Amino acid sequence: MSSRHSSALSRDTNLPTARNVPPFPLRQLLVLALCRICEPIAFMSIFPYIYHMVKDFNITEDENKISFYAGMVTSAFTFAEFSTGFLWGRLSDKIGRKPVLLCGLGGTGLSVLLFGFAPSLPVALFARALGGLLNGNIGVLQTTIGEIVTVKEHQPRAYAVMPNVWCLGSIIGPMIGGALAKPVENMPALFSPGTIFDRFPYLLPNLFSSICVFIGLIIGILFLEETHAEKRLQRDRGLELGNYLLSRLQRKRTATTKGGNPEEQPLLFETDEPLPRYLTADGSKNSLENAARGCSFDLEASNHVDRMRPIKSEKKPGKVLTRSVLLIIASYGLLAFHTMTFDSLLPVFLSTDVPADKKTLSLPFKFADGFGLDTKTIGVVLSVQGLYSMASTSLLFPAITAKLGPLRLFRFVSIAYPLLYVITPYTVLLPKSLHMVGVYALIVLKCTYATLAYPSNAILLTNSAPSTLSLGTINGVAASTASLARAFGPTVSGFLYTLGLERGYSGLAWWVTALFTIAGAYISISIQEPKGRLDEKDEADGPLPEQHEFLATTGQP
């Protein structure tokens, strides 16, 4: 009898075996991803040419110091972001997530344009710093996802979306940066000497980035929904305009396909899910005219019923920065420090020319060498890095997280990280025919670790929040911590890398960074599984009414 009831219950897809899990909020995450994609394109596009850009500034004739100044340019953004990240997080708790995200996009667009016109190192530093000051999107994005995703079952898949977006930007950005830098030299048939692109040889990739940012800004204004618990029902004229345009597009599409194939629909509406907010509380459809007049086109299908009901106000959080939260933030800061160090050191490591007068070789530690790759080759390497990261984030992370859980996964990766930084400098000692094999092996290891560590840490941080009303503050503190770490990473590593080359130790910067990964591994062991608002919600939900009936018939408590 018990087996028969159990089989019947499991066959009914409308009766989950644990509790009623809402649909995955794909639409809102898609819009958020379209807004986000422009930022990694702009950020990553400078890496293939930053070494050569600093060299063209002619601020030093000592090529060993170029890596230090390149690190300064990279760090200017993160130093500035550190100074305002917490403020943007707090501001998003007060005015909502959408205005802060759009402001960050506008700041990024202005920054990349100014950077493309930079004639000197001070202007380049100012342009990067301006982008950091006006952009607090890292923490606010994590907050937005934390509010979109309301059940733990969706977290592995949802928290893989933004890393995938970053990975896609990591593919496009370096390719654009490497291919479009110095167009007069690299594409003389299209760009003539004496033009603006000759005077500003790094303008073209930044111009491309600014166009991407502008598109993302428009998408955000028209289609991005507010997720703040107290601000999401306020009127949004930009969203209303987007609804109106979508309704006109659908009516025009319907008119042109009338009498044709009834299954032909616009791409945006290719889904079995009903368009939320186009339904009344009893499920009957409203006209598109009513939707266009002000009914919000809700890109989050799973929440359309909740939005029809009065929102239950969340209790004000008590202590926000608990010991658990602080440990997770500290581990996030160390993770950001050493991964940013790797990202900034790798292009410099690959660009470093083989020294004419090699220092005395004395293994295992004393050796100085480089790969001497050009910007196009480095751009391809970094693009492959992004492509593999997408595969790892999409395939490995959800599967491994489902088996290990975010805490055990984060601990495992943190403990494995030190070995990566120890072995990296030794790849330059491989035979020349195996150089690229060694480089791509490093890329695979680095990307696998990063795509497992970052989203698992983000899940731990979100789950530790006592309330969504404190998420902006918590993620703001985390973003500021990570920004400070990312700022110091390239600067310190650039100095150590230059010092190492001068003294004959190519691995100095890598090995010092390995010490920070050991500290991160120690902290990860101290982190406990957080019990926050989602756990409380799970306990409050309890079994479904149908499950109560089933449990009663089987005699189970």
Side-chain angles (χ1 to χ4, degrees):
M1 188 72 171
S2 173
S3 175
R4 185 171 67 254
H5 278 288
S6 178
S7 300
L9 184 63
S10 63
R11 284 196 303 268
D12 191 344
T13 58
N14 294 323
L15 301 178
T17 57
R19 60 194 179 89
N20 196 16
V21 178
F24 184 74
L26 178 61
R27 292 173 182 156
Q28 182 71 358
L29 286 173
L30 176 61
V31 174
L32 199 62
L34 291 174
C35 296
R36 172 64 168 160
I37 182 65
C38 58
E39 292 187 307
I41 291 176
F43 186 81
M44 295 296 294
S45 66
I46 77 167
F47 283 103
Y49 63 76
I50 185 60
Y51 181 89
H52 300 275
M53 183 180 190
V54 173
K55 186 177 180 180
D56 290 345
F57 287 150
N58 297 318
I59 55 177
T60 178
E61 296 184 5
D62 185 357
E63 295 198 4
N64 288 333
K65 294 183 179 179
I66 294 176
S67 58
F68 174 72
Y69 292 114
M72 286 181 60
V73 174
T74 304
S75 299
F77 178 92
T78 45
F79 263 125
E81 190 177 42
F82 155 72
S83 64
T84 58
F86 172 71
L87 298 177
W88 285 118
R90 287 291 298 273
L91 185 63
S92 75
D93 281 342
K94 295 182 181 298
I95 69 172
R97 319 304 181 194
K98 181 173 179 176
V100 174
L101 289 172
L102 295 180
C103 182
L105 287 174
T108 299
L110 180 61
S111 171
V112 295
L113 270 180
L114 188 58
F115 188 76
F117 283 105
S120 62
L121 181 63
V123 177
L125 290 171
F126 174 76
R128 295 285 291 174
L130 182 65
L133 288 171
L134 298 178
N135 193 322
N137 285 1
I138 294 178
V140 181
L141 273 169
Q142 296 292 357
T143 302
T144 305
I145 296 174
E147 291 170 331
I148 291 173
V149 180
T150 57
V151 292
K152 283 188 173 182
E153 288 83 349
H154 291 159
Q155 284 184 327
R157 186 179 170 194
Y159 278 90
V161 172
M162 289 305 123
N164 264 329
V165 170
W166 184 270
C167 294
L168 183 59
S170 299
I171 296 172
I172 300 173
M175 290 182 65
I176 294 300
L180 300 185
K182 294 187 174 182
V184 174
E185 294 182 13
N186 297 327
M187 295 176 283
L190 299 177
F191 299 91
S192 306
T195 61
I196 190 174
F197 297 106
D198 189 20
R199 183 181 177 187
F200 301 103
Y202 304 100
L203 172 61
L204 189 58
N206 287 280
L207 194 60
F208 178 89
S209 297
S210 66
I211 293 174
C212 292
V213 171
F214 178 75
I215 294 174
L217 187 62
I218 295 300
I219 292 174
I221 292 173
L222 296 179
F223 305 116
L224 183 63
E225 290 198 352
E226 180 58 65
T227 60
H228 189 283
E230 298 177 350
K231 306 294 182 183
R232 61 179 183 171
L233 291 184
Q234 293 181 357
R235 186 175 185 181
D236 187 336
R237 296 184 183 276
L239 195 60
E240 290 175 5
L241 177 59
N243 298 336
Y244 174 76
L245 295 175
L246 285 175
S247 67
R248 293 295 299 269
L249 177 64
Q250 188 184 37
R251 275 189 285 179
K252 183 177 180 181
R253 182 73 172 181
T254 302
T256 56
T257 58
K258 188 175 181 180
N261 185 359
E263 296 182 359
E264 187 175 357
Q265 294 290 337
L267 180 61
L268 183 61
F269 300 99
E270 288 179 356
T271 175
D272 293 332
E273 301 175 15
L275 288 179
R277 285 270 187 144
Y278 283 31
L279 304 178
T280 60
D282 62 358
S284 63
K285 293 186 178 180
N286 285 333
S287 66
L288 288 171
E289 288 80 4
N290 290 337
R293 280 198 297 265
C295 191
S296 176
F297 176 70
D298 190 350
L299 293 165
E300 186 181 345
S302 63
N303 284 347
H304 76 277
V305 176
D306 291 337
R307 289 178 184 245
M308 292 296 176
R309 302 170 183 167
I311 297 176
K312 186 183 294 184
S313 60
E314 294 209 27
K315 61 181 181 180
K316 296 295 181 180
K319 185 178 180 181
V320 175
L321 298 178
T322 62
R323 181 178 184 274
S324 176
V325 170
L326 290 175
L327 284 174
I328 297 171
I329 289 176
S331 66
Y332 178 48
L334 286 169
L335 177 66
F337 176 86
H338 67 74
T339 54
M340 187 63 183
T341 294
F342 194 106
D343 288 337
S344 61
L345 269 184
L346 184 63
V348 176
F349 188 40
L350 299 179
S351 299
T352 302
D353 294 326
V354 179
D357 54 336
K358 292 188 177 182
K359 309 291 182 183
T360 304
L361 181 67
S362 180
L363 294 176
F365 300 116
K366 190 170 185 179
F367 58 91
D369 210 339
F371 289 93
L373 302 181
D374 57 32
T375 58
K376 285 188 176 180
T377 304
I378 296 172
V380 171
V381 170
L382 297 182
S383 297
V384 170
Q385 168 181 289
L387 187 63
Y388 175 79
S389 294
M390 287 187 65
S392 178
T393 303
S394 302
L395 303 177
L396 291 182
F397 174 71
I400 297 177
T401 305
K403 292 185 177 296
L404 298 181
L407 179 57
R408 281 193 290 177
L409 175 58
F410 184 71
R411 284 175 177 170
F412 173 78
V413 176
S414 298
I415 293 171
Y417 251 126
L419 182 61
L420 172 64
Y421 290 88
V422 171
I423 66 174
T424 294
Y426 290 102
T427 55
V428 79
L429 299 179
L430 292 171
K432 192 174 181 61
S433 59
L434 296 178
H435 271 185
M436 297 310 297
V437 175
V439 169
Y440 285 118
L442 291 176
I443 292 298
V444 169
L445 281 176
K446 178 259 181 186
C447 294
T448 301
Y449 290 168
T451 54
L452 297 180
Y454 272 107
S456 59
N457 182 277
I459 290 175
L460 291 173
L461 187 61
T462 298
N463 291 348
S464 68
S467 164
T468 58
L469 298 180
S470 64
L471 265 179
T473 300
I474 290 175
N475 281 306
V477 173
S480 289
T481 303
S483 297
L484 181 62
R486 290 189 179 104
F488 275 114
T491 302
V492 173
S493 62
F495 171 77
L496 291 175
Y497 188 76
T498 300
L499 179 64
L501 287 180
E502 291 174 350
R503 303 295 176 86
Y505 292 91
S506 287
L508 180 62
W510 301 100
W511 298 328
V512 170
T513 306
L515 298 178
F516 288 90
T517 65
I518 294 174
Y522 175 78
I523 293 178
S524 71
I525 297 174
S526 303
I527 296 174
Q528 301 298 319
E529 189 74 44
K531 186 176 180 63
R533 56 188 177 83
L534 292 184
D535 300 280
E536 295 174 1
K537 182 176 180 180
D538 293 348
E539 294 170 0
D541 288 344
L544 297 173
E546 295 85 348
Q547 293 170 326
H548 279 300
E549 182 181 352
F550 164 71
L551 294 175
T553 60
T554 58
Q556 298 182 37

Short mmCIF file of all heavy atoms in Angstrom, two decimals, residues 71 74-86 132 135 138 329-330 332-338 340-341 475-493 516:
data_model
loop_
_atom_site.label_atom_id
_atom_site.label_comp_id
_atom_site.label_asym_id
_atom_site.label_seq_id
_atom_site.Cartn_x
_atom_site.Cartn_y
_atom_site.Cartn_z
N GLY A 71 50.46 46.63 -14.01
CA GLY A 71 49.70 46.25 -12.81
C GLY A 71 49.01 47.44 -12.17
O GLY A 71 47.89 47.31 -11.65
N THR A 74 45.81 48.13 -14.11
CA THR A 74 44.79 47.14 -13.77
C THR A 74 44.22 47.40 -12.38
O THR A 74 43.01 47.28 -12.14
CB THR A 74 45.39 45.73 -13.83
OG1 THR A 74 45.95 45.51 -15.12
CG2 THR A 74 44.33 44.68 -13.56
N SER A 75 45.08 47.78 -11.44
CA SER A 75 44.67 47.97 -10.05
C SER A 75 43.88 49.25 -9.83
O SER A 75 43.13 49.35 -8.85
CB SER A 75 45.90 47.99 -9.14
OG SER A 75 46.59 46.78 -9.20
N ALA A 76 44.03 50.24 -10.71
CA ALA A 76 43.34 51.52 -10.51
C ALA A 76 41.83 51.32 -10.44
O ALA A 76 41.15 51.94 -9.62
CB ALA A 76 43.69 52.48 -11.64
N PHE A 77 41.30 50.46 -11.27
CA PHE A 77 39.86 50.19 -11.27
C PHE A 77 39.44 49.58 -9.94
O PHE A 77 38.46 50.01 -9.33
CB PHE A 77 39.51 49.24 -12.43
CG PHE A 77 38.06 48.86 -12.48
CD1 PHE A 77 37.16 49.59 -13.23
CD2 PHE A 77 37.59 47.75 -11.79
CE1 PHE A 77 35.82 49.24 -13.28
CE2 PHE A 77 36.26 47.38 -11.83
CZ PHE A 77 35.37 48.13 -12.58
N THR A 78 40.16 48.56 -9.49
CA THR A 78 39.74 47.84 -8.29
C THR A 78 39.97 48.65 -7.02
O THR A 78 39.21 48.52 -6.05
CB THR A 78 40.46 46.49 -8.22
OG1 THR A 78 41.85 46.67 -8.50
CG2 THR A 78 39.90 45.53 -9.24
N PHE A 79 41.03 49.47 -6.97
CA PHE A 79 41.22 50.35 -5.83
C PHE A 79 40.04 51.32 -5.69
O PHE A 79 39.51 51.54 -4.59
CB PHE A 79 42.52 51.16 -5.98
CG PHE A 79 43.68 50.56 -5.25
CD1 PHE A 79 44.86 50.27 -5.91
CD2 PHE A 79 43.61 50.29 -3.89
CE1 PHE A 79 45.94 49.71 -5.24
CE2 PHE A 79 44.68 49.75 -3.20
CZ PHE A 79 45.85 49.44 -3.89
N ALA A 80 39.63 51.90 -6.82
CA ALA A 80 38.50 52.83 -6.79
C ALA A 80 37.20 52.10 -6.46
O ALA A 80 36.35 52.61 -5.71
CB ALA A 80 38.38 53.55 -8.13
N GLU A 81 37.04 50.90 -6.99
CA GLU A 81 35.83 50.12 -6.71
C GLU A 81 35.75 49.77 -5.24
O GLU A 81 34.66 49.73 -4.66
CB GLU A 81 35.85 48.85 -7.57
CG GLU A 81 34.55 48.08 -7.56
CD GLU A 81 34.61 46.88 -8.47
OE1 GLU A 81 35.64 46.18 -8.46
OE2 GLU A 81 33.62 46.62 -9.18
N PHE A 82 36.89 49.50 -4.63
CA PHE A 82 36.92 49.21 -3.19
C PHE A 82 36.37 50.40 -2.38
O PHE A 82 35.63 50.20 -1.42
CB PHE A 82 38.35 48.90 -2.76
CG PHE A 82 38.62 49.16 -1.31
CD1 PHE A 82 38.10 48.32 -0.33
CD2 PHE A 82 39.38 50.24 -0.91
CE1 PHE A 82 38.34 48.56 1.02
CE2 PHE A 82 39.62 50.50 0.44
CZ PHE A 82 39.09 49.65 1.41
N SER A 83 36.73 51.59 -2.79
CA SER A 83 36.34 52.77 -2.00
C SER A 83 34.85 53.05 -2.06
O SER A 83 34.30 53.72 -1.18
CB SER A 83 37.11 54.00 -2.49
OG SER A 83 36.76 54.32 -3.83
N THR A 84 34.16 52.53 -3.07
CA THR A 84 32.72 52.83 -3.21
C THR A 84 31.83 51.59 -3.20
O THR A 84 30.61 51.73 -3.21
CB THR A 84 32.45 53.61 -4.51
OG1 THR A 84 32.91 52.83 -5.64
CG2 THR A 84 33.17 54.94 -4.50
N GLY A 85 32.41 50.38 -3.22
CA GLY A 85 31.60 49.17 -3.31
C GLY A 85 30.60 49.03 -2.18
O GLY A 85 29.42 48.72 -2.41
N PHE A 86 31.04 49.30 -0.95
CA PHE A 86 30.14 49.20 0.19
C PHE A 86 29.03 50.26 0.09
O PHE A 86 27.86 49.99 0.40
CB PHE A 86 30.93 49.39 1.48
CG PHE A 86 30.09 49.50 2.71
CD1 PHE A 86 29.42 48.39 3.21
CD2 PHE A 86 29.94 50.71 3.37
CE1 PHE A 86 28.63 48.48 4.35
CE2 PHE A 86 29.16 50.81 4.51
CZ PHE A 86 28.50 49.69 4.99
N GLY A 132 35.90 52.38 -11.78
CA GLY A 132 35.73 51.73 -10.49
C GLY A 132 34.86 52.52 -9.53
O GLY A 132 34.05 51.95 -8.79
N ASN A 135 31.10 52.19 -10.52
CA ASN A 135 30.58 50.84 -10.77
C ASN A 135 30.62 50.02 -9.49
O ASN A 135 31.69 49.64 -9.03
CB ASN A 135 31.40 50.15 -11.87
CG ASN A 135 30.73 48.89 -12.38
OD1 ASN A 135 30.13 48.14 -11.62
ND2 ASN A 135 30.85 48.65 -13.67
N ILE A 138 29.30 44.47 -8.93
CA ILE A 138 29.65 43.11 -8.51
C ILE A 138 28.77 42.68 -7.34
O ILE A 138 28.11 41.64 -7.36
CB ILE A 138 31.14 43.02 -8.13
CG1 ILE A 138 32.01 43.25 -9.36
CG2 ILE A 138 31.44 41.67 -7.52
CD1 ILE A 138 33.50 43.21 -9.05
N ILE A 329 33.38 36.15 3.72
CA ILE A 329 33.89 37.35 3.03
C ILE A 329 35.42 37.34 2.99
O ILE A 329 36.03 37.69 1.97
CB ILE A 329 33.37 38.61 3.73
CG1 ILE A 329 31.87 38.78 3.48
CG2 ILE A 329 34.11 39.86 3.22
CD1 ILE A 329 31.24 39.95 4.20
N ALA A 330 36.07 36.92 4.10
CA ALA A 330 37.53 36.86 4.12
C ALA A 330 38.04 35.86 3.09
O ALA A 330 39.03 36.12 2.38
CB ALA A 330 38.01 36.49 5.51
N TYR A 332 36.52 34.99 0.40
CA TYR A 332 36.23 35.59 -0.91
C TYR A 332 37.31 36.62 -1.27
O TYR A 332 37.77 36.68 -2.42
CB TYR A 332 34.86 36.25 -0.87
CG TYR A 332 34.45 36.95 -2.14
CD1 TYR A 332 34.57 36.32 -3.38
CD2 TYR A 332 33.90 38.23 -2.11
CE1 TYR A 332 34.18 36.96 -4.54
CE2 TYR A 332 33.50 38.87 -3.26
CZ TYR A 332 33.64 38.23 -4.48
OH TYR A 332 33.25 38.87 -5.63
N GLY A 333 37.75 37.41 -0.29
CA GLY A 333 38.80 38.38 -0.54
C GLY A 333 40.11 37.73 -0.94
O GLY A 333 40.78 38.17 -1.89
N LEU A 334 40.49 36.67 -0.23
CA LEU A 334 41.74 35.96 -0.59
C LEU A 334 41.61 35.30 -1.96
O LEU A 334 42.56 35.28 -2.74
CB LEU A 334 42.06 34.92 0.48
CG LEU A 334 42.59 35.48 1.80
CD1 LEU A 334 42.63 34.41 2.87
CD2 LEU A 334 43.99 36.06 1.59
N LEU A 335 40.43 34.75 -2.24
CA LEU A 335 40.21 34.14 -3.56
C LEU A 335 40.35 35.20 -4.65
O LEU A 335 41.00 34.96 -5.69
CB LEU A 335 38.81 33.52 -3.60
CG LEU A 335 38.37 32.90 -4.93
CD1 LEU A 335 39.23 31.68 -5.27
CD2 LEU A 335 36.89 32.50 -4.88
N ALA A 336 39.76 36.37 -4.43
CA ALA A 336 39.86 37.45 -5.41
C ALA A 336 41.31 37.91 -5.57
O ALA A 336 41.74 38.21 -6.69
CB ALA A 336 38.99 38.63 -4.98
N PHE A 337 42.05 37.96 -4.47
CA PHE A 337 43.44 38.40 -4.54
C PHE A 337 44.28 37.50 -5.44
O PHE A 337 44.94 37.97 -6.37
CB PHE A 337 44.05 38.44 -3.13
CG PHE A 337 45.51 38.80 -3.12
CD1 PHE A 337 45.91 40.13 -3.10
CD2 PHE A 337 46.48 37.82 -3.12
CE1 PHE A 337 47.26 40.46 -3.08
CE2 PHE A 337 47.84 38.14 -3.12
CZ PHE A 337 48.22 39.47 -3.09
N HIS A 338 44.24 36.21 -5.16
CA HIS A 338 45.16 35.36 -5.92
C HIS A 338 44.68 35.05 -7.33
O HIS A 338 45.50 34.88 -8.24
CB HIS A 338 45.52 34.09 -5.13
CG HIS A 338 44.40 33.12 -4.92
ND1 HIS A 338 43.90 32.32 -5.90
CD2 HIS A 338 43.73 32.77 -3.78
CE1 HIS A 338 42.97 31.52 -5.42
NE2 HIS A 338 42.83 31.78 -4.13
N MET A 340 42.98 37.23 -9.23
CA MET A 340 43.30 38.44 -9.98
C MET A 340 44.79 38.53 -10.25
O MET A 340 45.21 39.00 -11.31
CB MET A 340 42.83 39.67 -9.21
CG MET A 340 42.96 40.97 -9.99
SD MET A 340 41.93 40.95 -11.47
CE MET A 340 42.35 42.52 -12.20
N THR A 341 45.59 38.08 -9.29
CA THR A 341 47.03 38.04 -9.50
C THR A 341 47.36 37.15 -10.68
O THR A 341 48.18 37.50 -11.54
CB THR A 341 47.74 37.51 -8.23
OG1 THR A 341 47.55 38.46 -7.18
CG2 THR A 341 49.22 37.32 -8.47
N ASN A 475 26.71 41.96 0.49
CA ASN A 475 27.43 41.85 -0.78
C ASN A 475 28.25 43.09 -1.08
O ASN A 475 29.26 43.02 -1.79
CB ASN A 475 26.43 41.58 -1.92
CG ASN A 475 25.98 40.14 -1.96
OD1 ASN A 475 26.79 39.22 -2.02
ND2 ASN A 475 24.68 39.92 -1.91
N GLY A 476 27.82 44.25 -0.55
CA GLY A 476 28.63 45.46 -0.70
C GLY A 476 29.95 45.34 0.04
O GLY A 476 31.01 45.71 -0.47
N VAL A 477 29.90 44.82 1.27
CA VAL A 477 31.13 44.59 2.03
C VAL A 477 32.02 43.58 1.32
O VAL A 477 33.24 43.75 1.20
CB VAL A 477 30.80 44.12 3.46
CG1 VAL A 477 32.07 43.73 4.21
CG2 VAL A 477 30.06 45.20 4.23
N ALA A 478 31.40 42.50 0.83
CA ALA A 478 32.16 41.48 0.11
C ALA A 478 32.80 42.05 -1.15
O ALA A 478 33.96 41.76 -1.47
CB ALA A 478 31.26 40.29 -0.24
N ALA A 479 32.03 42.86 -1.89
CA ALA A 479 32.56 43.45 -3.12
C ALA A 479 33.71 44.41 -2.82
O ALA A 479 34.71 44.43 -3.55
CB ALA A 479 31.45 44.18 -3.87
N SER A 480 33.58 45.20 -1.77
CA SER A 480 34.67 46.11 -1.40
C SER A 480 35.92 45.34 -0.99
O SER A 480 37.04 45.70 -1.36
CB SER A 480 34.23 47.03 -0.26
OG SER A 480 33.28 47.97 -0.71
N THR A 481 35.72 44.27 -0.22
CA THR A 481 36.85 43.44 0.19
C THR A 481 37.54 42.83 -1.02
O THR A 481 38.78 42.85 -1.13
CB THR A 481 36.36 42.32 1.14
OG1 THR A 481 35.71 42.90 2.26
CG2 THR A 481 37.53 41.46 1.60
N ALA A 482 36.74 42.28 -1.94
CA ALA A 482 37.32 41.68 -3.13
C ALA A 482 38.01 42.72 -4.00
O ALA A 482 39.06 42.45 -4.60
CB ALA A 482 36.23 40.96 -3.92
N SER A 483 37.44 43.91 -4.08
CA SER A 483 38.04 44.97 -4.89
C SER A 483 39.39 45.40 -4.33
O SER A 483 40.35 45.62 -5.07
CB SER A 483 37.10 46.17 -4.98
OG SER A 483 35.90 45.83 -5.63
N LEU A 484 39.46 45.52 -3.00
CA LEU A 484 40.73 45.86 -2.39
C LEU A 484 41.76 44.77 -2.65
O LEU A 484 42.93 45.07 -2.98
CB LEU A 484 40.55 46.05 -0.88
CG LEU A 484 41.80 46.43 -0.09
CD1 LEU A 484 42.34 47.78 -0.55
CD2 LEU A 484 41.52 46.45 1.41
N ALA A 485 41.33 43.52 -2.54
CA ALA A 485 42.25 42.41 -2.81
C ALA A 485 42.69 42.41 -4.27
O ALA A 485 43.88 42.20 -4.57
CB ALA A 485 41.56 41.09 -2.46
N ARG A 486 41.75 42.66 -5.18
CA ARG A 486 42.10 42.69 -6.60
C ARG A 486 43.01 43.87 -6.93
O ARG A 486 43.80 43.82 -7.86
CB ARG A 486 40.83 42.76 -7.44
CG ARG A 486 40.00 41.49 -7.42
CD ARG A 486 38.88 41.55 -8.45
NE ARG A 486 38.09 40.33 -8.46
CZ ARG A 486 36.90 40.19 -7.93
NH1 ARG A 486 36.33 41.24 -7.34
NH2 ARG A 486 36.26 39.04 -7.99
N ALA A 487 42.86 44.95 -6.17
CA ALA A 487 43.71 46.11 -6.40
C ALA A 487 45.14 45.83 -5.98
O ALA A 487 46.09 46.17 -6.70
CB ALA A 487 43.16 47.31 -5.64
N PHE A 488 45.31 45.22 -4.82
CA PHE A 488 46.65 44.92 -4.34
C PHE A 488 47.30 43.79 -5.15
O PHE A 488 48.52 43.78 -5.33
CB PHE A 488 46.62 44.53 -2.86
CG PHE A 488 46.65 45.71 -1.94
CD1 PHE A 488 45.57 46.02 -1.13
CD2 PHE A 488 47.78 46.53 -1.89
CE1 PHE A 488 45.60 47.10 -0.28
CE2 PHE A 488 47.82 47.63 -1.04
CZ PHE A 488 46.73 47.91 -0.23
N GLY A 489 46.48 42.86 -5.63
CA GLY A 489 47.02 41.71 -6.33
C GLY A 489 47.94 42.07 -7.49
O GLY A 489 49.13 41.72 -7.49
N PRO A 490 47.44 42.78 -8.52
CA PRO A 490 48.30 43.12 -9.65
C PRO A 490 49.48 44.02 -9.28
O PRO A 490 50.57 43.89 -9.84
CB PRO A 490 47.35 43.84 -10.62
CG PRO A 490 45.99 43.37 -10.23
CD PRO A 490 46.04 43.17 -8.75
N THR A 491 49.26 44.95 -8.34
CA THR A 491 50.34 45.86 -7.97
C THR A 491 51.48 45.12 -7.27
O THR A 491 52.65 45.26 -7.63
CB THR A 491 49.80 46.98 -7.05
OG1 THR A 491 48.75 47.67 -7.71
CG2 THR A 491 50.90 47.96 -6.70
N VAL A 492 51.11 44.32 -6.27
CA VAL A 492 52.13 43.57 -5.53
C VAL A 492 52.80 42.54 -6.43
O VAL A 492 54.03 42.41 -6.44
CB VAL A 492 51.50 42.88 -4.30
CG1 VAL A 492 52.50 41.96 -3.62
CG2 VAL A 492 50.98 43.93 -3.32
N SER A 493 52.00 41.82 -7.21
CA SER A 493 52.58 40.79 -8.07
C SER A 493 53.44 41.40 -9.17
O SER A 493 54.47 40.83 -9.55
CB SER A 493 51.48 39.93 -8.68
OG SER A 493 50.61 40.71 -9.51
N PHE A 516 49.31 33.02 -0.01
CA PHE A 516 47.96 33.53 0.23
C PHE A 516 46.91 32.45 0.00
O PHE A 516 45.88 32.42 0.68
CB PHE A 516 47.68 34.74 -0.66
CG PHE A 516 48.43 35.98 -0.27
CD1 PHE A 516 49.69 36.26 -0.78
CD2 PHE A 516 47.89 36.87 0.64
CE1 PHE A 516 50.39 37.39 -0.42
CE2 PHE A 516 48.57 38.01 1.02
CZ PHE A 516 49.83 38.27 0.50
#
